[in-house]
Amino acid sequence: MPASQDDLFAFLEDLGIETTTVNHPPLYTVEESQGLRSAIEGLHSKNLFLKDKKGALFLVVAQEEAVIDLKRLHERIGASGRVSFGSAELMQSLLGVLPGSVTPFGVLNDREAQIRVVLDRALAGADAVNFHPLVNTATTTIASKDLLAFLGATGHDPLLLDFSDASANPDL
């Protein structure tokens, strides 16, 4: 049984991590969620559940405005060939979430650490960042240092990449 929103909050509390959560109508896309920006401080993200041709799994967590070239992303994240989106079934079995609810908090359900988390440096360096708490009817704000602590506690130390640095990758 995948972790629930309550399980997530209990896990964060056990780690001594403080968060704030705002409930809202279901949001499925970055565009839909942009209407809440004035009510929720901090950076917001886009989250991509991906797999490569050998079946390796990646969760790319980037600042919402980042432009990600899926044709070249594999070169930056160490994937075997181009990446494609993981199926909804695989997402639900490993992250415990449905499409529209993808979040780094989902790695709480990936107990065998099968998924490689790729985190945008812009998010890692922000004061506060926002993600769905396993459901798309709420948004949880967490300090970026606490997000890193959460990821480490779940066995998912992230690969940090700068998705906004055009000189490092002119096609992204």
Side-chain angles (χ1 to χ4, degrees), residues 48-53 56-58 70 73-74 79 81-87:
L48 308 174
F49 179 63
L50 305 169
K51 66 176 184 160
D52 70 12
K53 67 180 187 175
L57 301 168
F58 301 87
L70 291 177
L73 182 62
H74 67 282
R82 288 190 181 175
V83 294
S84 60
F85 289 98
S87 71

Side-chain angles (χ1 to χ4, degrees), residues 3 9 12 18 20 25 33-34 44-45 71-72 76-77 83 93-94 103 106-107 113 116 126 153 158 161 164 167 169:
F9 293 147
L12 292 167
E18 292 183 23
T20 58
S33 67
Q34 288 177 334
H44 297 266
S45 69
K71 294 178 183 173
R72 306 266 326 265
R76 298 189 71 201
I77 64 175
V83 294
S93 71
L94 291 175
T103 172
V107 299
R116 178 72 196 260
L161 289 182
S164 63
S167 64
N169 192 359

Side-chain angles (χ1 to χ4, degrees), residues 11-14 28 46 51 58 69 88 93 96 112 125-126 128 139 148 157-158 160 165 167-168:
F11 186 83
L12 292 167
E13 187 175 321
D14 287 347
Y28 296 94
K46 66 171 88 181
K51 66 176 184 160
F58 301 87
D69 180 358
S93 71
E112 295 179 21
T139 297
L148 293 170
D157 290 318
L160 297 178
D165 184 358
S167 64

Side-chain angles (χ1 to χ4, degrees), residues 12-130:
L12 292 167
E13 187 175 321
D14 287 347
L15 293 174
I17 294 175
E18 292 183 23
T19 61
T20 58
T21 299
V22 173
N23 293 310
H24 49 68
L27 302 171
Y28 296 94
T29 66
V30 169
E31 292 77 24
E32 288 177 353
S33 67
Q34 288 177 334
L36 295 176
R37 294 302 175 260
S38 62
I40 303 173
E41 298 285 326
L43 291 184
H44 297 266
S45 69
K46 66 171 88 181
N47 301 278
L48 308 174
F49 179 63
L50 305 169
K51 66 176 184 160
D52 70 12
K53 67 180 187 175
K54 290 188 176 180
L57 301 168
F58 301 87
L59 178 61
V60 175
V61 181
Q63 199 273 338
E64 70 180 341
E65 301 298 328
V67 177
I68 298 173
D69 180 358
L70 291 177
K71 294 178 183 173
R72 306 266 326 265
L73 182 62
H74 67 282
E75 298 167 0
R76 298 189 71 201
I77 64 175
S80 295
R82 288 190 181 175
V83 294
S84 60
F85 289 98
S87 71
E89 295 80 17
L90 187 59
M91 179 190 312
Q92 189 168 15
S93 71
L94 291 175
L95 291 174
V97 299
L98 298 170
S101 300
V102 180
T103 172
F105 292 134
V107 299
L108 181 62
N109 290 303
D110 180 27
R111 290 174 182 87
E112 295 179 21
Q114 298 176 61
I115 300 168
R116 178 72 196 260
V117 176
V118 180
L119 182 63
D120 192 337
R121 284 188 199 280
L123 295 174
D127 290 333
V129 291
N130 297 284

